Every structure is written in C-alpha cells, then in structure tokens.
Amino acid sequence: MAFVRFTDRPAFRNPWAEFERIRHGLDELSRSYADTGRGQGRANVYPPLNIYEETDKLVITAELPGVKTSDIDLSLEGETLTIQGKRERRQADPGVSYHRREIESGGFSRAIALPSKVNPDQISARLANGILTISLPKASAVTPRQIKVTAE
Amino acid sequence: MTDRELKIQDKRAAQPGGETTKSEACFAPHVDIYETDQEVTVVADMPGVRVDGVEIALEDSILTIQGQRAPQTQTGRLILEEYECGHYLRRFTVAETIDQENIAATLVDGVLTVRLPKVVPAQPRKIEVKLG
C-alpha cells in the first residue's frame, strides 16, 4: 500500500521529477472536485492515519475507537509497518430494539510503507482514549546530524 | 462478526448552535442507539476525548452529547493527513420521559456510553378476566 507522496522529496537528481510534478498536479485537480476537506489525503483502507515527521522520528496516529489493546497487532517487516486488528461488536442484550446503528465492527489490516528507515528496536505504541500513537525513531543513518560551523 | 472488513466512515461535520469564534472542526460522532423496557442507551464513538472533556445535557427532551478533544500535542511536519481532528457534538430529541437524576455515562477506549433510564418502566400489565 504505497501512498507516500514522493513529490515531497527533493526533486534534484530525480529524472522523474517532472513526471511526478505533473502527476501531483493531476492528483490535486481530481481531489479538488472530489472532496472539500482541507488538504485531506483520502484513505481507502481502514484505519485512516496521520503521519508526522520530526527530525529524529516518525509518529503515526490512528483513530481506533472501541478497539482494545489486545486486539491490535503491529508488525514491522523491512520498511513496511502492518497494523492489524479487529473491533468486536458489543454484546447486545436480548430484547433491545435498535433505533440507530452507525457503529460498525469488523477486522482491519493496513500496511504502510515507511518513508524512511527506522530503528526497529525502539518502536513504541500506545493506545489512549481510542487513539493509537506509534512512535518510530529513525535509524541513526538517516537522522540528520548537526554540523557545527566554527569561525577561524 | 469479526470476519467483516471495517470500512472508513466519513466524518460528518456538526453544526453548533451558533457559529464558533474559534475555527475548530466539530464532528457528529457515529452512534448506536438502542432501547429496552427500562432505558435508552446511546453509544458514541469519540476517539481522543478524555473523561473530563465529555459533557452530557438533557434539556427540554433534547439530549446533547459534547466531547472536547484534548489539544493536539503532535509536533513535526504532517506528511500524511487522512483524518481531521476535531471536537464532537450531536443532539437528539428523546421521545421518552427520562429520569434525569439517574443518567449514567462511561467512556472506554474512546467510546462513550450514555444510559438514560426511563421514568416509568413500562411494566407489562395483565388484565385478568373474571367469570361473572
């Protein structure tokens, strides 16, 4: 499930940069007709994710209401992070009549191609108030290093 | 029914009473509402809301469920945004007479459950017919 926007990468030394730019433009065009959300990238696989990039780590958040910690399965294989899990249907007592039924239950599975190398030993994830937050520290090779400029 | 695949449900924007002064997004949470002889139960998905951010009010038989989301703590560049964060608000007109004093609510894993007990439990009444 590759959905990383390659166009965010620096364009230099990329022979496909121009094609990417055109494709991006076309994506933008089709998106403006389809939805009105502000800068929202449409996901078609549950759960929708937000990914934040900090200098030394990636943070992935997902809204997973009603999902228990024991029902989430996270795994990392190479640079692909897989989130799997299920949301159990609440046991309805006999004799209840439903007026509205908008909450769905079921399983989900999503694979994410991480935009940079991460350190697999330091990944942490927590689930609080129905929000899953996965913190993936970048591998030391891709963490930007500050270089001091000294005056002579 | 765990063999079914979960689908993404669109977030619907909710309209507060008046226009808000802050430009914060507000969504109508997805709900399940069911009724027994004794009570009406409202279940609402409110991920990201803490217990102290929930407000439930029942006035003039209008039930208002409000969830203030904890402020965003995430820093860094947003490289993928597939969902928007916002507060939650939804109103329902409750037809039954509800015992205001005994409304109970729980918040587990981002799911709010509000139990609204009915004032007079509808007891099934049997009318015996006597032989004259």
Side-chain angles (χ1 to χ4, degrees), chain B residues 50-124:
Chain B
R50 272 187 251 148
V51 179
D52 49 9
V54 179
E55 254 179 71
I56 300 157
L58 184 65
E59 267 178 85
D60 301 330
S61 73
I62 290 183
L63 174 74
T64 308
I65 298 172
Q66 230 175 330
Q68 294 289 323
R69 201 179 175 126
Q72 270 278 327
T73 49
Q74 228 54 256
T75 53
R77 192 166 65 102
L78 190 59
I79 54 171
L80 179 78
E81 188 188 31
E82 291 180 342
Y83 71 88
E84 277 183 81
C85 302
H87 303 301
Y88 299 94
L89 173 72
R90 203 155 169 183
R91 288 196 181 94
F92 298 102
T93 310
V94 185
E96 288 77 20
T97 2
I98 299 298
D99 183 2
Q100 292 248 19
E101 298 298 308
N102 291 313
I103 296 174
T106 52
L107 184 70
V108 182
D109 297 331
V111 180
L112 178 76
T113 308
V114 188
R115 287 177 191 282
L116 307 149
K118 293 179 191 172
V119 168
V120 190
Q123 296 288 354

Side-chain angles (χ1 to χ4, degrees), chain A residues 11-31:
Chain A
F12 52 86
R13 281 200 291 169
N14 181 359
W16 306 103
E18 186 61 11
F19 291 105
E20 290 289 358
R21 200 187 59 76
I22 293 165
R23 193 181 61 87
H24 190 85
L26 288 171
D27 281 356
E28 209 78 71
L29 198 68
S30 58
R31 197 177 300 142

